Structures are given as C-alpha cells and as structure tokens.
Amino acid sequence: MEQTQNEVDEKNRYRIETPGHEGWARTARPNDPDKYLMISADCHANEPGNLWRDRLDAKYRDRLPHVEVDANGEKWFVAEGVGKSRVRARMIGNVPRENSEDRLRSRVGADPKERIQDQIRDGIDAEIIFPNKGLMMFATKDAAFGIAQCRVWNDFAWEIYGEYNDFMLPAAAIMTSEVALAIEEIRRVAKIGFRFLTLPCKPVLEATTRAIPIIISQSTIRCGRRSRIVISRLRFTSRPDAIHALRAKKGVR
C-alpha cells in the first residue's frame, strides 16, 4: 500500500522518537515473519448524527438526545435518563491545520475498506467495534425505547460492517431491563451473524445456553469507573481457518 508523506506536527514529534522494536524477538509489525496476533479491542463507530432520528419509530423521536438553547443562549445537551449538561464550544484555534497528522488521523476510517487497509498497515489482524453516539441509548429506564434504539444501531452496524465480519466485528447492543425483549433481540442478531454483544453497565442477566460472547460496557450512565468486563471468552471468528487465511493473504503467519 502506497503511503503519502505528511508533515509531522510538533505535538506529534514524540511518535518518531520512541525506542522502536530493535532487539525484540517478535513484533506486531505486518512484515514480521513471527508476528504477534493483534486485536484492536475498543474501537467505536462514528454514526451519522441523524441515524436514530431517521430510523426510529416516530413515537420515540422527540425523546432522543438533543441540544436545547436556554434564554441566555447557552446550549445544553439533553438525554433521557441523564439530565442535561452544557455543550462546550469547540476552540477553532485548536483545530489541526490542513495536511497535518492530526487532521489526517481524524479523517481516516470512515470507509471500511480503507480502514482495513490502515489496520493491516499497522499490524492489526481484527477489531471489535462498539457504538459511539449510540451509547446514550442505554440511559433510558424505558426498556421498549431502549431496545428500539438498540435495533437501529444493530441494523446500521451490520449494514456497514457485516460484509467484513472476519476482520471488523461490530457489537450488537442489547437493552436488558426487560429480559424478554433482550432475549428476542439477542436471537435476532445471532441469526443475522453478530458474534458478540455489548450490554449497559448495570444489566439484568439471566442464565442462557446460547454460545455468544457478551461484553458489559461500563462507559455510560450511572457508573463511576470506565471499564470492560468480559463475561465469556471472546471468539473473533467462528471459523478458525478464517484468521489464518486472512493472515496468509497478508503474508504473515
């Protein structure tokens, strides 16, 4: 893959001054004949801002997270189950200039094929992907509203990443406050082809015999710490030969 030379900003100069890998028996670099298997395990999508408003049932749209302006002109972010918080203005002076590394970094990854090329160049063998704006769907206490938002994310995620599911694995989001609705959606996404789930930070859990990995995301709502709890062993592919074939195609073991 041909790489374009870009100006290295002063803020990013430390990146080229790191010690490197000289003397390492193995590395994660793509041309290493004994390369480590590298999984990028905490990626987040950048969903379209109008995704839920366009796809959600009309009866829920007025309850979606939104911005309100008060009598003093202050902007407030409002989300059901969270309350409201003041919107911080972006500092124009801090926006990276054109052709800078930071500007380049902020633009990459929108197209799955280009993202996979970037990941392979960096020695990444697979990645798992969580929602970003969609994390707010876990805030509501209304199970039906929450699961409706989850379905929007799940359908969108599979539309975008499903074709590349041996490399890019999206998490199916499950609202758990009403177990029957949660199980119904788990069955639906399992049939679609999803390989693991992400749950809210305080899920309602019930015994299951379904062999699908679960991750509880404690990055949203009513949690003091940010962490990930892996409930079951995460399998990145249901076909063990898939990763081997992918790596052989890239010329690494």
Side-chain angles (χ1 to χ4, degrees):
M1 176 177 169
E2 184 178 349
Q3 298 186 33
T4 303
Q5 292 295 325
N6 293 277
E7 178 184 353
V8 179
D9 299 304
E10 191 61 36
K11 292 181 179 179
N12 286 295
R13 192 163 298 281
Y14 75 94
R15 298 177 186 274
I16 61 175
E17 297 172 350
T18 54
H21 64 285
E22 186 176 353
W24 291 13
R26 300 176 68 191
T27 73
R29 294 182 180 271
N31 58 351
D32 190 323
D34 194 22
K35 177 185 174 296
Y36 286 111
L37 176 68
M38 300 298 294
I39 308 297
S40 182
D42 194 12
C43 302
H44 288 262
N46 188 15
E47 310 96 317
N50 60 344
L51 177 63
W52 283 268
R53 187 161 295 277
D54 287 350
R55 298 195 185 197
L56 201 62
D57 191 302
K59 67 182 180 181
Y60 292 126
R61 289 176 189 164
D62 290 341
R63 297 169 61 185
L64 287 169
H66 59 280
V67 174
E68 295 180 356
V69 182
D70 67 17
N72 298 318
E74 288 282 359
K75 294 181 179 180
W76 297 86
F77 177 76
V78 181
E80 185 171 309
V82 182
K84 63 181 185 179
S85 57
R86 190 167 61 86
V87 176
R88 291 174 292 179
R90 293 182 179 273
M91 301 302 293
I92 300 300
N94 291 335
V95 175
R97 62 183 180 279
E98 200 67 31
N99 298 322
S100 69
E101 269 197 22
D102 286 337
R103 180 68 68 89
L104 176 68
R105 188 175 297 110
S106 70
R107 288 177 174 174
V108 300
D111 179 86
K113 291 182 179 179
E114 292 181 1
R115 181 172 179 82
I116 290 173
Q117 286 183 330
D118 288 338
Q119 296 282 43
I120 291 174
R121 181 185 63 183
D122 288 341
I124 303 300
D125 295 290
E127 66 177 333
I128 58 177
I129 303 173
F130 298 92
N132 188 20
K133 299 179 181 75
L135 292 173
M136 297 304 299
M137 59 196 168
F138 293 134
T140 180
K141 296 180 180 179
D142 182 339
F145 180 35
I147 203 71
Q149 294 179 79
C150 288
R151 289 192 189 106
V152 170
W153 157 259
N154 294 340
D155 290 342
F156 164 80
W158 193 256
E159 289 168 15
I160 301 298
Y161 308 115
E163 181 182 349
Y164 313 99
N165 202 28
D166 281 333
F167 192 102
M168 312 175 84
L169 287 75
I174 303 296
M175 185 73 173
T176 60
S177 54
E178 189 168 316
V179 176
L181 289 176
I183 291 175
E184 179 183 351
E185 182 64 4
I186 290 171
R187 287 172 174 162
R188 187 181 80 91
V189 297
K191 288 179 180 178
I192 290 173
F194 281 89
R195 295 177 180 174
F196 77 109
L197 313 173
T198 183
L199 308 181
C201 59
K202 293 186 178 180
V204 177
L205 295 176
E206 178 174 276
T208 177
T209 58
R210 185 79 185 180
I212 185 167
I214 298 172
I215 285 183
I216 298 176
S217 174
Q218 291 196 346
S219 59
T220 48
I221 319 311
R222 299 188 295 273
C223 277
R225 296 185 302 169
R226 300 169 71 88
S227 62
R228 292 250 187 266
I229 304 175
V230 180
I231 300 300
S232 60
R233 185 169 180 268
L234 183 58
R235 297 172 185 172
F236 292 94
T237 174
S238 59
R239 304 194 312 275
D241 59 310
I243 286 293
H244 295 297
L246 180 65
R247 297 188 69 173
K249 185 178 180 180
K250 295 185 294 180
V252 298
R253 294 191 299 181

